[in-house]
Amino acid sequence: MHPRRPEGFDGLGYRGGARDEQGFGGAFPARSFSSGSELGHWVTTPPDIPGSRNLHWGEKSPPYGVHSASTPREGPAEEPFPGSGTGTGTGGAQAQSSEQLNRFAGFGIGLASLFTENVLAHPCIVLRRQCQVNYHARHYHLTPFTVINIMYSLNKTQGPRALWKGMGSTFIVQGVTLGAEGIISEFTPLPREVSHKWNPKQIGEHLLLKSLTYIIAMPFYSASLIETVQSMLDAYFPELIANFAASLCSDVILYPLETVLHRLHIQGTRTIIDNTDLGYEVLPINTQYEGMKDCINTIRQEEGVLGFYKGFGAVIIQYTLHAAVLQITKMIYSTLLQNSV
């Protein structure tokens, strides 16, 4: 039996036409493989290997990693290897270092603001609340000068702890407020934050969330208020600036209402407060307001309009101190950023 494959057959390198194959032992006449159909009888398409492609006649397989210019590669273009360029590696390292510095500085500024708002400014919060609930007071402390004097007197007679009382309960109130707000926002569609593309519905839902949160935290706030005002007989950039301005405006505008609410909270608790006129005595709080309207009318008639602003000088000191800390941390951040360039 004679083999069917002609002698000299070289696979894909075979072109046929001008070349004749001799028969085996003269038994077979010469035969030309010039047509593609005859060649296809002997040549089969190789299996489809992942990553390979079928070549046309006359094409050569490109080297590994080199793509044909006529066949664009699908998919996104690959970025050069990091650091392969002359200045790419240095620029990437600088960008990464700058990003890390920005994160560190942002964390530091936020921490400084939080410390100032809740720890450093706590004496101002204590004194302003005491002045607000002290209906006996003859000195209203509308300027920071008298506030500093009374702070010194309280510190001298009762020690430094007198100006930082109730700070632990303040953190508890903030924890309860944040926890309640987070839980309500998780189980309801009420948003915790409002984007710049806000609409009246989002504003209303956000205010509803805040209202529900304050309702839950109200008992804790009342307990914290009593703790911060009573004496014992033995004894936080554009976002930060926006928060600072928002807190300042709300405290200034709502200060009279805060005075009324604090007096209603204290009423009936038999709380003893410091004498903000002298700085070294204590006074009991015994009021009999019949409601918010009666409290407002009583303050206006007996203490005048300025009675709603008792202790306002402490607010001035509080936000002056807060602004100073923010400015100092901003200067430190700018210095660090300039040194890293």
Side-chain angles (χ1 to χ4, degrees):
M1 184 175 181
H2 300 284
R4 297 179 61 186
R5 181 172 178 173
E7 294 180 355
F9 180 74
D10 54 357
L12 292 176
Y14 180 79
R15 292 294 178 267
R19 181 175 168 183
D20 293 334
E21 296 291 342
Q22 298 296 330
F24 298 96
F28 295 93
R31 185 178 181 184
S32 172
F33 291 84
S34 58
S35 64
S37 61
E38 293 177 345
L39 184 61
H41 176 74
W42 300 100
V43 181
T44 59
T45 303
D48 189 10
I49 304 175
S52 67
R53 63 175 185 166
N54 295 328
L55 302 176
H56 298 284
W57 294 110
E59 291 184 348
K60 294 183 178 180
S61 179
Y64 177 77
V66 180
H67 303 285
S68 174
S70 61
T71 306
R73 186 178 180 183
E74 296 181 357
E78 295 184 354
E79 297 182 355
F81 190 80
S84 59
T86 55
T88 307
T90 305
Q94 291 180 352
Q96 185 177 6
S97 176
S98 177
E99 182 180 0
Q100 292 177 351
L101 181 60
N102 287 336
R103 292 179 179 177
F104 176 77
F107 174 78
I109 294 174
L111 187 62
S113 177
L114 185 65
F115 175 80
T116 303
E117 182 179 357
N118 296 281
V119 179
L120 199 58
H122 190 76
C124 299
I125 297 175
V126 171
L127 189 60
R128 64 185 273 191
R129 290 178 176 179
Q130 288 195 345
C131 291
Q132 286 176 320
V133 302
N134 188 3
Y135 64 94
H136 299 287
R138 293 176 285 107
H139 299 285
Y140 290 1
H141 301 296
L142 302 177
T143 64
F145 307 104
T146 59
V147 170
I148 294 176
N149 186 29
I150 203 65
M151 279 185 173
Y152 174 77
S153 300
L154 290 173
N155 180 74
K156 184 177 180 179
T157 57
Q158 301 184 29
R161 296 180 57 184
L163 298 176
W164 268 273
K165 55 190 174 185
M167 188 171 61
S169 62
T170 302
F171 285 109
I172 294 177
V173 172
Q174 289 190 353
V176 172
T177 302
L178 293 176
E181 183 176 334
I183 294 175
I184 295 176
S185 63
E186 286 293 331
F187 292 95
T188 63
L190 303 179
R192 298 184 65 179
E193 298 180 355
V194 180
S195 63
H196 64 282
K197 296 181 180 180
W198 58 272
N199 53 55
K201 181 180 178 181
Q202 292 179 344
I203 295 294
E205 292 177 345
H206 181 69
L207 293 177
L208 178 59
L209 173 63
K210 293 295 184 181
S211 300
L212 294 176
T213 301
Y214 287 132
I215 290 175
I216 296 175
M218 187 61 69
F220 301 91
Y221 179 81
S222 298
S224 175
L225 173 62
I226 295 173
E227 189 175 351
T228 53
V229 300
Q230 73 175 355
S231 296
M232 307 302 293
L233 294 177
D234 56 352
Y236 149 38
F237 289 79
E239 183 178 356
L240 292 175
I241 297 299
N243 291 333
F244 173 81
S247 299
L248 176 60
C249 292
S250 61
D251 280 344
V252 172
I253 295 174
L254 300 177
Y255 197 88
L257 180 60
E258 186 183 47
T259 301
V260 175
L261 292 178
H262 285 175
R263 293 198 181 187
L264 293 176
H265 274 291
I266 293 296
Q267 181 172 266
T269 60
R270 297 182 180 179
T271 302
I272 297 176
I273 67 171
D274 295 312
N275 189 336
T276 56
D277 289 333
L278 303 177
Y280 55 84
E281 289 181 351
V282 293
L283 296 172
I285 295 297
N286 296 316
T287 56
Q288 296 180 354
Y289 301 119
E290 297 179 357
M292 179 176 291
K293 183 177 180 180
D294 181 57
C295 182
I296 295 175
N297 293 332
T298 302
I299 295 175
R300 185 175 61 247
Q301 293 173 3
E302 296 182 0
E303 306 170 48
V305 176
L306 295 180
F308 294 98
Y309 291 91
K310 284 185 174 181
F312 190 77
V315 177
I316 299 177
I317 296 178
Q318 173 185 349
Y319 283 97
T320 301
L321 184 62
H322 195 174
V325 172
L326 289 179
Q327 188 65 28
I328 292 174
T329 52
K330 181 181 179 181
M331 293 172 58
I332 296 175
Y333 165 69
S334 301
T335 303
L336 291 175
L337 189 60
Q338 292 176 359
N339 294 334
S340 64
V341 177

